[in-house]
Amino acid sequence: MEVYALVGPSGTGKSFRAIATAHECGAELIIDDGLLIKGNRILGGISAKRQSTRIGAIKTALFMDEEHARQARAVLEKVKPSRVLILGTSVGMVEKIAARLGLPPVSRIISIEEIASPREIRQALTMRARYSKHVIPAPTVEVKKRFPDIFTDSLRIFLGRKGPQGKRSWLEQSVVRPTFTYYGKLTITTSALVAIVSRAAEEVPGVKSAGRVTVQRDVDGVVIEVHPVLYYGCILNQVGREIQVAVKRRVEEMTGLVVKSVNILVRELSFPRGKEPV
């Protein structure tokens, strides 16, 4: 097995360029921030982006937890890649990761300055400092499936064409905002989620008020229940479906959380004044 390393200071765009670099040097598997990624799948590991502190993130990226390292070694043993690309902020960090995972010594070191211009590095540093945006070199659907509480957006990367007149080859990776930032920890309270759900539901035609809203959270995402008050005369199942779509879209867009289900229970109708049923 050959081990390659992509090295550069934090925030200089290593993860953004990981897929293209692995493609060019023939690496089958990428090790980045505690994750093992092959193609469009996360095969194992724990994302450093999920840690609540920077120290915790560093320990995760270095596979300091023995169980984390053991699982990663099991993945490597199963996949048996002929070439691996490890990302790190220094040569020493990459060598520590290789040692923790039982990999051979690093045979080639690629500096971020070799593959990115000074201007591109400055832009990457600005995005990290201003917006705390990080890249995970895996598709958004894969990242959300494993880490539903991370703010996620998609980003496509061009790998080139297959053959002189071949199709353009693209791969997707994810832009995330971790739970820790340089300014502290970011969390979303249940009351904030309820407010988002209520606003989304009440913007649907036929809805007088969102009524009672409950949000249940677990490791896979959130389950939302809405008891709306609808105007008399509307088509209940149609309005209910529109509420489901609106709530799911708004919550996922604004929070990055995965909405597992939106359950609607209509208990009350609002009648025009003077037309209440006898």
mmCIF file of all heavy atoms in Angstrom, residues 10-56:
data_model
loop_
_atom_site.group_PDB
_atom_site.id
_atom_site.type_symbol
_atom_site.label_atom_id
_atom_site.label_comp_id
_atom_site.label_asym_id
_atom_site.label_seq_id
_atom_site.Cartn_x
_atom_site.Cartn_y
_atom_site.Cartn_z
ATOM 1 N N SER A 10 -4.609 24.801 8.406
ATOM 2 C CA SER A 10 -6.061 24.701 8.503
ATOM 3 C C SER A 10 -6.724 25.828 7.724
ATOM 4 O O SER A 10 -6.307 26.986 7.798
ATOM 5 C CB SER A 10 -6.472 24.769 9.978
ATOM 6 O OG SER A 10 -7.869 24.718 10.113
ATOM 7 N N GLY A 11 -7.758 25.463 6.960
ATOM 8 C CA GLY A 11 -8.535 26.465 6.236
ATOM 9 C C GLY A 11 -7.990 26.867 4.888
ATOM 10 O O GLY A 11 -8.498 27.803 4.260
ATOM 11 N N THR A 12 -6.954 26.177 4.388
ATOM 12 C CA THR A 12 -6.356 26.562 3.103
ATOM 13 C C THR A 12 -6.962 25.842 1.905
ATOM 14 O O THR A 12 -6.529 26.050 0.773
ATOM 15 C CB THR A 12 -4.835 26.325 3.132
ATOM 16 O OG1 THR A 12 -4.582 24.976 3.569
ATOM 17 C CG2 THR A 12 -4.144 27.287 4.070
ATOM 18 N N GLY A 13 -7.959 24.987 2.127
ATOM 19 C CA GLY A 13 -8.662 24.357 1.012
ATOM 20 C C GLY A 13 -8.250 22.932 0.715
ATOM 21 O O GLY A 13 -8.508 22.433 -0.397
ATOM 22 N N LYS A 14 -7.653 22.232 1.674
ATOM 23 C CA LYS A 14 -7.222 20.850 1.420
ATOM 24 C C LYS A 14 -8.402 19.934 1.113
ATOM 25 O O LYS A 14 -8.368 19.163 0.150
ATOM 26 C CB LYS A 14 -6.453 20.304 2.635
ATOM 27 C CG LYS A 14 -5.173 21.041 2.963
ATOM 28 C CD LYS A 14 -4.413 20.363 4.084
ATOM 29 C CE LYS A 14 -5.227 20.278 5.364
ATOM 30 N NZ LYS A 14 -5.610 21.589 5.913
ATOM 31 N N SER A 15 -9.437 19.989 1.946
ATOM 32 C CA SER A 15 -10.587 19.096 1.754
ATOM 33 C C SER A 15 -11.294 19.394 0.435
ATOM 34 O O SER A 15 -11.792 18.486 -0.233
ATOM 35 C CB SER A 15 -11.569 19.232 2.923
ATOM 36 O OG SER A 15 -10.975 18.791 4.128
ATOM 37 N N PHE A 16 -11.354 20.674 0.065
ATOM 38 C CA PHE A 16 -11.968 21.056 -1.208
ATOM 39 C C PHE A 16 -11.246 20.407 -2.383
ATOM 40 O O PHE A 16 -11.877 20.014 -3.375
ATOM 41 C CB PHE A 16 -11.952 22.582 -1.347
ATOM 42 C CG PHE A 16 -12.409 23.072 -2.684
ATOM 43 C CD1 PHE A 16 -13.744 23.016 -3.048
ATOM 44 C CD2 PHE A 16 -11.495 23.580 -3.597
ATOM 45 C CE1 PHE A 16 -14.168 23.466 -4.291
ATOM 46 C CE2 PHE A 16 -11.908 24.033 -4.842
ATOM 47 C CZ PHE A 16 -13.250 23.974 -5.188
ATOM 48 N N ARG A 17 -9.930 20.269 -2.272
ATOM 49 C CA ARG A 17 -9.131 19.716 -3.371
ATOM 50 C C ARG A 17 -8.809 18.240 -3.195
ATOM 51 O O ARG A 17 -8.093 17.664 -4.014
ATOM 52 C CB ARG A 17 -7.827 20.521 -3.504
ATOM 53 C CG ARG A 17 -8.093 21.982 -3.822
ATOM 54 C CD ARG A 17 -6.834 22.812 -3.925
ATOM 55 N NE ARG A 17 -7.193 24.201 -4.178
ATOM 56 C CZ ARG A 17 -7.523 24.679 -5.377
ATOM 57 N NH1 ARG A 17 -7.489 23.885 -6.431
ATOM 58 N NH2 ARG A 17 -7.861 25.932 -5.531
ATOM 59 N N ALA A 18 -9.345 17.612 -2.156
ATOM 60 C CA ALA A 18 -9.003 16.227 -1.864
ATOM 61 C C ALA A 18 -9.440 15.274 -2.970
ATOM 62 O O ALA A 18 -8.684 14.381 -3.369
ATOM 63 C CB ALA A 18 -9.616 15.811 -0.527
ATOM 64 N N ILE A 19 -10.679 15.423 -3.453
ATOM 65 C CA ILE A 19 -11.194 14.503 -4.471
ATOM 66 C C ILE A 19 -10.355 14.590 -5.740
ATOM 67 O O ILE A 19 -9.950 13.569 -6.314
ATOM 68 C CB ILE A 19 -12.670 14.787 -4.761
ATOM 69 C CG1 ILE A 19 -13.535 14.438 -3.553
ATOM 70 C CG2 ILE A 19 -13.145 13.995 -5.986
ATOM 71 C CD1 ILE A 19 -15.004 14.762 -3.735
ATOM 72 N N ALA A 20 -10.092 15.816 -6.207
ATOM 73 C CA ALA A 20 -9.309 15.990 -7.430
ATOM 74 C C ALA A 20 -7.883 15.469 -7.244
ATOM 75 O O ALA A 20 -7.325 14.823 -8.144
ATOM 76 C CB ALA A 20 -9.289 17.466 -7.825
ATOM 77 N N THR A 21 -7.299 15.725 -6.079
ATOM 78 C CA THR A 21 -5.940 15.245 -5.809
ATOM 79 C C THR A 21 -5.887 13.721 -5.776
ATOM 80 O O THR A 21 -4.979 13.094 -6.348
ATOM 81 C CB THR A 21 -5.429 15.815 -4.478
ATOM 82 O OG1 THR A 21 -5.504 17.240 -4.508
ATOM 83 C CG2 THR A 21 -3.991 15.392 -4.221
ATOM 84 N N ALA A 22 -6.870 13.103 -5.107
ATOM 85 C CA ALA A 22 -6.929 11.638 -5.065
ATOM 86 C C ALA A 22 -7.113 11.064 -6.466
ATOM 87 O O ALA A 22 -6.512 10.045 -6.815
ATOM 88 C CB ALA A 22 -8.079 11.194 -4.157
ATOM 89 N N HIS A 23 -7.928 11.730 -7.271
ATOM 90 C CA HIS A 23 -8.171 11.278 -8.653
ATOM 91 C C HIS A 23 -6.882 11.321 -9.465
ATOM 92 O O HIS A 23 -6.569 10.384 -10.214
ATOM 93 C CB HIS A 23 -9.232 12.177 -9.276
ATOM 94 C CG HIS A 23 -9.591 11.830 -10.688
ATOM 95 N ND1 HIS A 23 -10.366 10.738 -11.013
ATOM 96 C CD2 HIS A 23 -9.269 12.428 -11.863
ATOM 97 C CE1 HIS A 23 -10.519 10.678 -12.326
ATOM 98 N NE2 HIS A 23 -9.861 11.680 -12.861
ATOM 99 N N GLU A 24 -6.124 12.394 -9.302
ATOM 100 C CA GLU A 24 -4.902 12.564 -10.088
ATOM 101 C C GLU A 24 -3.786 11.606 -9.668
ATOM 102 O O GLU A 24 -3.021 11.143 -10.504
ATOM 103 C CB GLU A 24 -4.418 14.013 -9.969
ATOM 104 C CG GLU A 24 -5.323 15.000 -10.696
ATOM 105 C CD GLU A 24 -4.936 16.442 -10.422
ATOM 106 O OE1 GLU A 24 -3.869 16.653 -9.801
ATOM 107 O OE2 GLU A 24 -5.690 17.345 -10.824
ATOM 108 N N CYS A 25 -3.693 11.307 -8.379
ATOM 109 C CA CYS A 25 -2.604 10.429 -7.929
ATOM 110 C C CYS A 25 -3.055 8.974 -7.794
ATOM 111 O O CYS A 25 -2.266 8.125 -7.367
ATOM 112 C CB CYS A 25 -2.007 10.936 -6.622
ATOM 113 S SG CYS A 25 -3.081 10.813 -5.187
ATOM 114 N N GLY A 26 -4.301 8.683 -8.138
ATOM 115 C CA GLY A 26 -4.776 7.309 -8.141
ATOM 116 C C GLY A 26 -5.090 6.743 -6.775
ATOM 117 O O GLY A 26 -5.118 5.511 -6.604
ATOM 118 N N ALA A 27 -5.345 7.602 -5.807
ATOM 119 C CA ALA A 27 -5.689 7.125 -4.464
ATOM 120 C C ALA A 27 -7.136 6.651 -4.430
ATOM 121 O O ALA A 27 -8.035 7.354 -4.870
ATOM 122 C CB ALA A 27 -5.471 8.233 -3.433
ATOM 123 N N GLU A 28 -7.357 5.468 -3.915
ATOM 124 C CA GLU A 28 -8.705 4.893 -3.864
ATOM 125 C C GLU A 28 -9.487 5.353 -2.636
ATOM 126 O O GLU A 28 -10.720 5.294 -2.610
ATOM 127 C CB GLU A 28 -8.619 3.368 -3.832
ATOM 128 C CG GLU A 28 -7.874 2.769 -5.005
ATOM 129 C CD GLU A 28 -7.511 1.324 -4.721
ATOM 130 O OE1 GLU A 28 -8.404 0.562 -4.312
ATOM 131 O OE2 GLU A 28 -6.332 0.970 -4.878
ATOM 132 N N LEU A 29 -8.780 5.782 -1.604
ATOM 133 C CA LEU A 29 -9.434 6.097 -0.342
ATOM 134 C C LEU A 29 -8.832 7.372 0.240
ATOM 135 O O LEU A 29 -7.613 7.578 0.182
ATOM 136 C CB LEU A 29 -9.274 4.935 0.636
ATOM 137 C CG LEU A 29 -10.097 4.986 1.921
ATOM 138 C CD1 LEU A 29 -10.619 3.592 2.270
ATOM 139 C CD2 LEU A 29 -9.242 5.509 3.081
ATOM 140 N N ILE A 30 -9.688 8.241 0.784
ATOM 141 C CA ILE A 30 -9.272 9.495 1.401
ATOM 142 C C ILE A 30 -9.511 9.409 2.909
ATOM 143 O O ILE A 30 -10.574 8.970 3.347
ATOM 144 C CB ILE A 30 -10.065 10.691 0.828
ATOM 145 C CG1 ILE A 30 -9.783 10.851 -0.674
ATOM 146 C CG2 ILE A 30 -9.738 11.979 1.572
ATOM 147 C CD1 ILE A 30 -10.700 11.857 -1.359
ATOM 148 N N ILE A 31 -8.523 9.827 3.686
ATOM 149 C CA ILE A 31 -8.675 9.928 5.140
ATOM 150 C C ILE A 31 -8.610 11.405 5.490
ATOM 151 O O ILE A 31 -7.577 12.051 5.308
ATOM 152 C CB ILE A 31 -7.579 9.143 5.876
ATOM 153 C CG1 ILE A 31 -7.648 7.657 5.494
ATOM 154 C CG2 ILE A 31 -7.712 9.320 7.380
ATOM 155 C CD1 ILE A 31 -6.535 6.818 6.070
ATOM 156 N N ASP A 32 -9.720 11.936 5.991
ATOM 157 C CA ASP A 32 -9.821 13.369 6.241
ATOM 158 C C ASP A 32 -10.685 13.639 7.467
ATOM 159 O O ASP A 32 -11.840 13.213 7.521
ATOM 160 C CB ASP A 32 -10.422 14.076 5.010
ATOM 161 C CG ASP A 32 -10.550 15.580 5.197
ATOM 162 O OD1 ASP A 32 -9.758 16.148 5.973
ATOM 163 O OD2 ASP A 32 -11.433 16.181 4.569
ATOM 164 N N ASP A 33 -10.124 14.330 8.445
ATOM 165 C CA ASP A 33 -10.871 14.764 9.633
ATOM 166 C C ASP A 33 -11.617 13.623 10.319
ATOM 167 O O ASP A 33 -12.779 13.759 10.704
ATOM 168 C CB ASP A 33 -11.854 15.872 9.261
ATOM 169 C CG ASP A 33 -11.250 17.254 9.475
ATOM 170 O OD1 ASP A 33 -10.234 17.354 10.198
ATOM 171 O OD2 ASP A 33 -11.779 18.228 8.933
ATOM 172 N N GLY A 34 -10.963 12.478 10.432
ATOM 173 C CA GLY A 34 -11.547 11.358 11.161
ATOM 174 C C GLY A 34 -12.424 10.444 10.333
ATOM 175 O O GLY A 34 -12.964 9.459 10.854
ATOM 176 N N LEU A 35 -12.591 10.729 9.038
ATOM 177 C CA LEU A 35 -13.455 9.930 8.167
ATOM 178 C C LEU A 35 -12.637 9.166 7.132
ATOM 179 O O LEU A 35 -11.585 9.637 6.688
ATOM 180 C CB LEU A 35 -14.463 10.821 7.438
ATOM 181 C CG LEU A 35 -15.501 11.534 8.296
ATOM 182 C CD1 LEU A 35 -16.325 12.483 7.423
ATOM 183 C CD2 LEU A 35 -16.412 10.536 8.997
ATOM 184 N N LEU A 36 -13.152 8.009 6.715
ATOM 185 C CA LEU A 36 -12.584 7.236 5.619
ATOM 186 C C LEU A 36 -13.587 7.271 4.470
ATOM 187 O O LEU A 36 -14.718 6.801 4.616
ATOM 188 C CB LEU A 36 -12.303 5.791 6.048
ATOM 189 C CG LEU A 36 -11.061 5.579 6.931
ATOM 190 C CD1 LEU A 36 -11.313 6.051 8.353
ATOM 191 C CD2 LEU A 36 -10.643 4.115 6.935
ATOM 192 N N ILE A 37 -13.166 7.840 3.344
ATOM 193 C CA ILE A 37 -14.074 8.096 2.231
ATOM 194 C C ILE A 37 -13.534 7.416 0.978
ATOM 195 O O ILE A 37 -12.363 7.572 0.626
ATOM 196 C CB ILE A 37 -14.220 9.615 1.992
ATOM 197 C CG1 ILE A 37 -14.748 10.305 3.263
ATOM 198 C CG2 ILE A 37 -15.126 9.898 0.807
ATOM 199 C CD1 ILE A 37 -14.556 11.793 3.276
ATOM 200 N N LYS A 38 -14.418 6.693 0.319
ATOM 201 C CA LYS A 38 -14.059 6.052 -0.951
ATOM 202 C C LYS A 38 -15.134 6.376 -1.973
ATOM 203 O O LYS A 38 -16.296 6.006 -1.810
ATOM 204 C CB LYS A 38 -13.933 4.533 -0.789
ATOM 205 C CG LYS A 38 -13.518 3.837 -2.091
ATOM 206 C CD LYS A 38 -13.387 2.337 -1.911
ATOM 207 C CE LYS A 38 -12.962 1.690 -3.228
ATOM 208 N NZ LYS A 38 -12.883 0.219 -3.118
ATOM 209 N N GLY A 39 -14.751 7.088 -3.034
ATOM 210 C CA GLY A 39 -15.724 7.469 -4.059
ATOM 211 C C GLY A 39 -16.816 8.333 -3.466
ATOM 212 O O GLY A 39 -16.562 9.378 -2.868
ATOM 213 N N ASN A 40 -18.066 7.872 -3.601
ATOM 214 C CA ASN A 40 -19.202 8.643 -3.087
ATOM 215 C C ASN A 40 -19.746 8.081 -1.781
ATOM 216 O O ASN A 40 -20.896 8.312 -1.435
ATOM 217 C CB ASN A 40 -20.319 8.703 -4.141
ATOM 218 C CG ASN A 40 -20.858 7.322 -4.485
ATOM 219 O OD1 ASN A 40 -20.374 6.311 -3.976
ATOM 220 N ND2 ASN A 40 -21.845 7.284 -5.351
ATOM 221 N N ARG A 41 -18.909 7.347 -1.030
ATOM 222 C CA ARG A 41 -19.365 6.750 0.220
ATOM 223 C C ARG A 41 -18.411 7.034 1.372
ATOM 224 O O ARG A 41 -17.190 7.043 1.198
ATOM 225 C CB ARG A 41 -19.513 5.236 0.067
ATOM 226 C CG ARG A 41 -20.659 4.797 -0.838
ATOM 227 C CD ARG A 41 -20.855 3.308 -0.706
ATOM 228 N NE ARG A 41 -21.130 2.940 0.676
ATOM 229 C CZ ARG A 41 -20.823 1.752 1.204
ATOM 230 N NH1 ARG A 41 -20.210 0.842 0.465
ATOM 231 N NH2 ARG A 41 -21.120 1.487 2.467
ATOM 232 N N ILE A 42 -18.992 7.268 2.534
ATOM 233 C CA ILE A 42 -18.219 7.331 3.769
ATOM 234 C C ILE A 42 -18.209 5.923 4.346
ATOM 235 O O ILE A 42 -19.242 5.409 4.769
ATOM 236 C CB ILE A 42 -18.841 8.317 4.774
ATOM 237 C CG1 ILE A 42 -18.848 9.740 4.192
ATOM 238 C CG2 ILE A 42 -18.079 8.292 6.098
ATOM 239 C CD1 ILE A 42 -19.577 10.741 5.060
ATOM 240 N N LEU A 43 -17.048 5.293 4.351
ATOM 241 C CA LEU A 43 -16.963 3.897 4.773
ATOM 242 C C LEU A 43 -16.897 3.738 6.285
ATOM 243 O O LEU A 43 -17.248 2.681 6.815
ATOM 244 C CB LEU A 43 -15.736 3.236 4.131
ATOM 245 C CG LEU A 43 -15.700 3.199 2.604
ATOM 246 C CD1 LEU A 43 -14.470 2.424 2.137
ATOM 247 C CD2 LEU A 43 -16.967 2.576 2.036
ATOM 248 N N GLY A 44 -16.440 4.769 6.971
ATOM 249 C CA GLY A 44 -16.345 4.655 8.420
ATOM 250 C C GLY A 44 -15.700 5.880 9.025
ATOM 251 O O GLY A 44 -15.331 6.825 8.331
ATOM 252 N N GLY A 45 -15.587 5.866 10.332
ATOM 253 C CA GLY A 45 -14.961 6.963 11.038
ATOM 254 C C GLY A 45 -15.970 7.869 11.724
ATOM 255 O O GLY A 45 -17.182 7.672 11.649
ATOM 256 N N ILE A 46 -15.443 8.877 12.390
ATOM 257 C CA ILE A 46 -16.235 9.881 13.102
ATOM 258 C C ILE A 46 -15.784 11.246 12.612
ATOM 259 O O ILE A 46 -14.581 11.524 12.563
ATOM 260 C CB ILE A 46 -16.018 9.781 14.625
ATOM 261 C CG1 ILE A 46 -16.395 8.387 15.130
ATOM 262 C CG2 ILE A 46 -16.817 10.845 15.369
ATOM 263 C CD1 ILE A 46 -15.972 8.127 16.565
ATOM 264 N N SER A 47 -16.716 12.102 12.253
ATOM 265 C CA SER A 47 -16.348 13.409 11.739
ATOM 266 C C SER A 47 -15.872 14.333 12.851
ATOM 267 O O SER A 47 -16.546 14.516 13.866
ATOM 268 C CB SER A 47 -17.532 14.057 11.022
ATOM 269 O OG SER A 47 -17.217 15.376 10.631
ATOM 270 N N ALA A 48 -14.716 14.945 12.638
ATOM 271 C CA ALA A 48 -14.227 15.942 13.593
ATOM 272 C C ALA A 48 -15.158 17.144 13.653
ATOM 273 O O ALA A 48 -15.183 17.874 14.645
ATOM 274 C CB ALA A 48 -12.821 16.395 13.188
ATOM 275 N N LYS A 49 -15.957 17.337 12.596
ATOM 276 C CA LYS A 49 -16.886 18.475 12.556
ATOM 277 C C LYS A 49 -18.013 18.328 13.575
ATOM 278 O O LYS A 49 -18.708 19.285 13.876
ATOM 279 C CB LYS A 49 -17.498 18.594 11.152
ATOM 280 C CG LYS A 49 -16.497 18.637 10.016
ATOM 281 C CD LYS A 49 -15.578 19.837 10.096
ATOM 282 C CE LYS A 49 -14.725 19.993 8.847
ATOM 283 N NZ LYS A 49 -13.746 18.946 8.638
ATOM 284 N N ARG A 50 -18.208 17.135 14.113
ATOM 285 C CA ARG A 50 -19.280 16.917 15.093
ATOM 286 C C ARG A 50 -18.843 17.190 16.523
ATOM 287 O O ARG A 50 -19.664 17.190 17.436
ATOM 288 C CB ARG A 50 -19.784 15.476 15.012
ATOM 289 C CG ARG A 50 -20.402 15.093 13.699
ATOM 290 C CD ARG A 50 -21.227 13.842 13.832
ATOM 291 N NE ARG A 50 -22.504 14.102 14.475
ATOM 292 C CZ ARG A 50 -23.352 13.148 14.854
ATOM 293 N NH1 ARG A 50 -23.040 11.893 14.680
ATOM 294 N NH2 ARG A 50 -24.498 13.455 15.407
ATOM 295 N N GLN A 51 -17.564 17.437 16.733
ATOM 296 C CA GLN A 51 -17.075 17.631 18.087
ATOM 297 C C GLN A 51 -17.423 19.026 18.586
ATOM 298 O O GLN A 51 -17.482 19.981 17.809
ATOM 299 C CB GLN A 51 -15.565 17.405 18.147
ATOM 300 C CG GLN A 51 -15.135 16.059 17.578
ATOM 301 C CD GLN A 51 -15.925 14.907 18.167
ATOM 302 O OE1 GLN A 51 -16.020 14.760 19.382
ATOM 303 N NE2 GLN A 51 -16.518 14.086 17.305
ATOM 304 N N SER A 52 -17.643 19.150 19.884
ATOM 305 C CA SER A 52 -18.112 20.411 20.452
ATOM 306 C C SER A 52 -16.985 21.395 20.736
ATOM 307 O O SER A 52 -17.242 22.564 21.013
ATOM 308 C CB SER A 52 -18.881 20.140 21.750
ATOM 309 O OG SER A 52 -18.058 19.450 22.682
ATOM 310 N N THR A 53 -15.723 20.949 20.674
ATOM 311 C CA THR A 53 -14.585 21.824 20.913
ATOM 312 C C THR A 53 -13.515 21.576 19.858
ATOM 313 O O THR A 53 -13.476 20.513 19.226
ATOM 314 C CB THR A 53 -13.957 21.588 22.303
ATOM 315 O OG1 THR A 53 -13.392 20.262 22.343
ATOM 316 C CG2 THR A 53 -15.000 21.741 23.405
ATOM 317 N N ARG A 54 -12.617 22.533 19.698
ATOM 318 C CA ARG A 54 -11.525 22.376 18.738
ATOM 319 C C ARG A 54 -10.570 21.276 19.179
ATOM 320 O O ARG A 54 -10.032 20.543 18.347
ATOM 321 C CB ARG A 54 -10.771 23.692 18.565
ATOM 322 C CG ARG A 54 -11.573 24.783 17.855
ATOM 323 C CD ARG A 54 -10.721 26.001 17.607
ATOM 324 N NE ARG A 54 -9.639 25.683 16.693
ATOM 325 C CZ ARG A 54 -8.553 26.438 16.551
ATOM 326 N NH1 ARG A 54 -8.399 27.511 17.289
ATOM 327 N NH2 ARG A 54 -7.621 26.100 15.679
ATOM 328 N N ILE A 55 -10.343 21.167 20.495
ATOM 329 C CA ILE A 55 -9.466 20.105 21.000
ATOM 330 C C ILE A 55 -10.064 18.740 20.667
ATOM 331 O O ILE A 55 -9.361 17.821 20.226
ATOM 332 C CB ILE A 55 -9.264 20.245 22.520
ATOM 333 C CG1 ILE A 55 -8.536 21.549 22.840
ATOM 334 C CG2 ILE A 55 -8.487 19.047 23.066
ATOM 335 C CD1 ILE A 55 -7.156 21.653 22.237
ATOM 336 N N GLY A 56 -11.368 18.600 20.863
ATOM 337 C CA GLY A 56 -12.037 17.345 20.517
ATOM 338 C C GLY A 56 -11.938 17.042 19.044
ATOM 339 O O GLY A 56 -11.758 15.884 18.639
#
